[in-house]
Amino acid sequence: MRAIILAAGLGSRLRPMTLHTPKPLLLVYGKSILEHNIELLLDNGFDDIVVVCGYKHESFDELQKKLGFTKIVFEDYEGKNSAASLKFAKDFIQKGTLVLNGDLYLTKSPLNHARFGVTQILAQVIKDKCWGYATSSDCVLLDIDIDCANSLGDGVAFFDNESDMPYILESLAKCSDDEYWEALFLELFRYTRVYVFDNGEFYVEIDSFKDALQQNMLTPQEVAQACSDNGEATRLAGITNINYKIRFLGKDKVIRIANKDIDRIINRKKERQIFEIIEKYNITPKCEFYESGIRLSDFLQSYHHLKCNELNDNVLEKIISQMHILHKIKHEDYSYIPKLSLVNEIKKYEQEAKVILISKIEKRFLLNIAKELDTAPSVLCHRDLQLPNILYDGDNVCFIDFEYAEFTSIALELGNFTSELLMCESEINKVCQMYGDIKYDSVIKGQAIANYIWALWGFIYDDYPLARDYLVRFHANLKYLMENNA
């Protein structure tokens, strides 16, 4: 039996990891996806392996020598999809041929539930949207829904009916070069009988970092090392992200890999839009966003995370000066980005945390504060200005990690900032004086909202010490505001 593995593409959704290495050659559990798959196929009756290469095709040579597969190079891969790759390999399609994509990590034999002598799709249930297959009671393909979820979908093909070969090649020829190779089934099932068999869970598609990380197939450090020029990655501090310093395309960079499930809270599209706004203001290092969700920012050699003992009046003025630059960016000038509703933000975090932290009376009081702040002018705020997110070189300061940045109230920004630095009343009043045109009680209202949200964040991500810490701060805020009817 023969297997054709389509491995020509750029792997753009996994960049920057695939800038050095084609996706099928990425290491999973210490072995490349391709090597693992070929060894599994060889152990399960496939004695003829054909690999269609394109992007960085010379990278496959060492593995070819080791495993002895047939390597064919599709030079015209760029800008085209997998249908073009399979058409390039059409002469290798014969009875007993398996076809699969190079980013599928096989966990079992693809022939678990195959039938010999027929043309078939070997599929598994896909939770996300995919090509869903409608079948008869005897597993014959009746129709294809190209936008389906929780259905038998995607999968692998096994062509094992000699008389179907002309129909398969004819259907493949009708596919455009920008289609997936599976598009051939849109034609094929009209001319001959195609079966769809539920093959159980037999592969994991590594189409994104999220796929690989969620399945624990890659660790964040392995991702960082794969992106590094020299395979080295040094862990840096971080909570929302897992951060590493790497050498990337000859420059020192910080690679930021989001923690699992952080997208429940972070709006990555909005984050990127905000970076596009602030990049010209020189208040944060240059940052590159990749489709994979990975971010790379310049590593500032002379800077370090601001330390508590460095926070004097001079440094505080520099921080507030940077805040002023950020806060001059008004929502009215960027109305295409929704401004933050603190009322809705509180509700979102409560729903995600699934805990009750305050009484109904306290909740009503807090929401009234949120409504008040929501009516204030909305400016661009960092929302997470704590010492690890402020870099200092002994003279200048800059801000990093804008994941939580939103157009919202200045009171929220200063409330979060003064709370993170554990400022006392006199220190908060000093900040109010330096910033100008804001009162102490407004900052405490901002503290109350910020501390409540961060306490909920701790419950969402099982960081209970952090949650308790913010609850203590929030209790002090609430007590002051309710006693002073602020």
Side-chain angles (χ1 to χ4, degrees):
M1 292 186 294
R2 171 177 291 163
I4 299 176
I5 301 175
L6 304 177
L10 287 166
S12 57
R13 284 189 290 271
L14 276 169
R15 287 191 171 185
M17 202 171 178
T18 51
L19 287 175
H20 295 295
T21 307
K23 183 160 54 170
L25 296 182
L26 294 176
L27 299 182
V28 174
Y29 305 132
K31 183 179 291 187
S32 75
I33 298 169
L34 184 62
E35 181 175 3
H36 163 81
N37 285 347
I38 289 176
E39 288 178 349
L40 187 147
L41 292 170
L42 291 173
D43 288 342
N44 284 274
F46 291 90
D47 54 3
D48 185 1
I49 310 293
V50 177
V51 179
V52 184
C53 307
Y55 174 63
K56 292 186 178 295
H57 61 82
E58 65 281 354
S59 302
F60 293 82
D61 291 346
E62 184 177 344
L63 191 59
Q64 181 194 23
K65 291 177 183 177
K66 178 179 179 180
L67 297 177
F69 58 81
T70 299
K71 171 189 167 185
I72 61 173
V73 179
F74 179 36
E75 298 278 6
D76 198 22
Y77 66 90
E78 196 164 357
K80 297 184 178 180
N81 215 325
S82 58
S85 293
L86 187 56
K87 283 194 280 187
F88 186 75
K90 67 181 185 301
D91 292 342
F92 290 90
I93 300 174
Q94 62 183 32
K95 175 178 165 51
T97 298
L98 185 83
V99 178
L100 70 157
N101 292 322
D103 63 354
L104 300 186
Y105 185 91
L106 296 174
T107 56
K108 299 176 183 176
S109 169
L111 299 185
N112 278 347
H113 299 284
R115 307 291 190 276
F116 291 97
V118 300
T119 296
Q120 61 209 269
I121 300 167
L122 302 172
Q124 66 182 35
V125 174
I126 308 295
K127 293 181 180 179
D128 298 327
K129 288 187 177 180
C130 65
W131 288 43
Y133 301 119
T135 64
S136 66
S137 58
D138 56 350
C139 302
V140 175
L141 180 63
L142 300 177
D143 201 1
I144 300 174
D145 182 350
I146 62 173
D147 191 20
C148 190
N150 291 310
S151 171
L152 277 180
D154 289 347
V156 173
F158 186 48
F159 302 128
D160 201 43
N161 186 338
E162 184 69 47
S163 62
D164 282 344
M165 289 301 126
Y167 299 117
I168 292 168
L169 295 175
E170 182 180 345
S171 298
L172 177 61
K174 291 181 180 180
C175 293
S176 67
D177 286 350
D178 61 357
E179 289 184 297
Y180 297 113
W181 69 268
E182 294 94 336
L184 71 89
F185 292 110
L186 293 170
E187 288 287 332
L188 183 60
F189 83 97
R190 306 178 194 280
Y191 304 115
T192 188
R193 182 167 292 190
V194 176
Y195 291 87
V196 179
F197 297 123
D198 183 350
N199 208 41
E201 292 188 7
F202 71 107
Y203 69 82
V204 176
E205 183 178 14
I206 303 182
D207 196 38
S208 68
F209 286 120
K210 184 177 179 181
D211 294 337
L213 293 171
Q214 291 286 5
Q215 296 283 341
N216 295 316
M217 302 182 74
L218 288 174
T219 66
Q221 181 161 351
E222 288 170 334
V223 171
Q225 289 170 333
C227 296
S228 171
D229 291 350
N230 55 15
E232 297 178 0
T234 303
R235 181 70 184 266
L236 303 174
I239 296 177
T240 299
N241 299 300
I242 303 170
N243 304 322
Y244 296 88
K245 177 187 173 185
I246 64 171
R247 192 73 176 166
F248 179 77
L249 301 182
K251 296 181 179 180
D252 286 339
K253 298 280 186 176
V254 177
I255 183 170
R256 305 182 188 279
I257 303 165
N259 270 311
K260 289 183 180 180
D261 298 327
I262 201 67
D263 287 346
R264 294 160 62 187
I265 297 299
I266 302 297
N267 184 328
R268 294 298 182 187
K269 178 182 178 182
K270 183 182 287 188
E271 179 191 359
R272 187 166 188 167
Q273 289 175 322
I274 286 172
F275 258 99
E276 289 171 355
I277 294 171
I278 65 175
E279 61 183 353
K280 62 183 178 182
Y281 290 96
N282 198 33
I283 58 176
T284 192
K286 181 182 177 182
C287 189
E288 304 160 69
F289 288 79
Y290 290 88
E291 188 179 347
S292 60
I294 290 292
R295 289 190 296 119
L296 283 172
S297 57
D298 290 348
F299 181 82
L300 304 182
Q301 298 286 354
S302 60
Y303 282 77
H304 60 270
H305 298 290
L306 183 65
K307 299 179 178 64
C308 189
N309 61 6
E310 296 174 313
L311 190 64
N312 54 40
D313 286 355
N314 180 50
V315 174
L316 187 57
E317 286 177 351
K318 292 178 185 293
I319 293 171
I320 290 175
S321 176
Q322 292 288 67
M323 280 190 196
H324 276 300
I325 294 173
L326 188 61
H327 296 167
K328 285 179 182 177
I329 303 172
K330 300 178 181 179
H331 180 256
E332 60 196 53
D333 297 323
Y334 299 95
S335 56
Y336 61 90
I337 300 178
K339 67 179 183 179
L340 180 67
S341 164
L342 291 174
V343 171
N344 291 339
E345 190 81 338
I346 287 170
K347 292 177 180 178
K348 178 180 79 174
Y349 275 75
E350 287 178 332
Q351 289 171 356
E352 291 288 345
K354 298 180 176 63
V355 294
I356 298 173
L357 300 180
I358 53 179
S359 70
K360 290 182 179 179
I361 294 175
E362 292 169 332
K363 175 76 170 291
R364 191 179 306 117
F365 185 83
L366 186 66
L367 288 177
N368 283 336
I369 293 174
K371 290 175 184 177
E372 177 188 334
L373 297 188
D374 280 342
T375 62
S378 289
V379 299
L380 188 54
C381 296
H382 185 285
R383 283 188 69 206
D384 191 21
L385 281 177
Q386 52 181 304
L387 292 179
N389 289 337
I390 303 172
L391 299 183
Y392 181 53
D393 70 350
D395 186 28
N396 302 301
V397 299
C398 67
F399 303 153
I400 59 172
D401 288 357
F402 278 76
E403 289 93 348
Y404 298 95
E406 295 274 6
F407 284 98
T408 185
S409 161
I410 291 170
L412 180 70
E413 180 89 293
L414 293 181
N416 187 87
F417 172 68
T418 56
S419 176
E420 291 293 350
L421 272 64
L422 300 176
M423 289 185 172
C424 64
E425 182 174 351
S426 62
E427 291 169 328
I428 294 172
N429 279 319
K430 182 187 291 185
V431 168
C432 292
Q433 183 180 4
M434 286 182 174
Y435 189 92
D437 198 28
I438 192 164
K439 296 180 180 180
Y440 176 83
D441 283 0
S442 294
V443 174
I444 299 304
K445 289 176 181 178
Q447 280 197 6
I449 299 292
N451 287 332
Y452 184 65
I453 287 174
W454 287 121
L456 292 167
W457 190 101
F459 281 100
I460 293 169
Y461 294 106
D462 299 330
D463 192 338
Y464 300 111
L466 181 144
R468 286 193 296 269
D469 185 24
Y470 282 112
L471 274 177
V472 170
R473 302 184 208 179
F474 171 69
H475 176 74
N477 301 143
L478 200 61
K479 182 179 179 181
Y480 170 85
L481 293 169
M482 295 184 81
E483 286 179 353
N484 289 276
N485 294 315

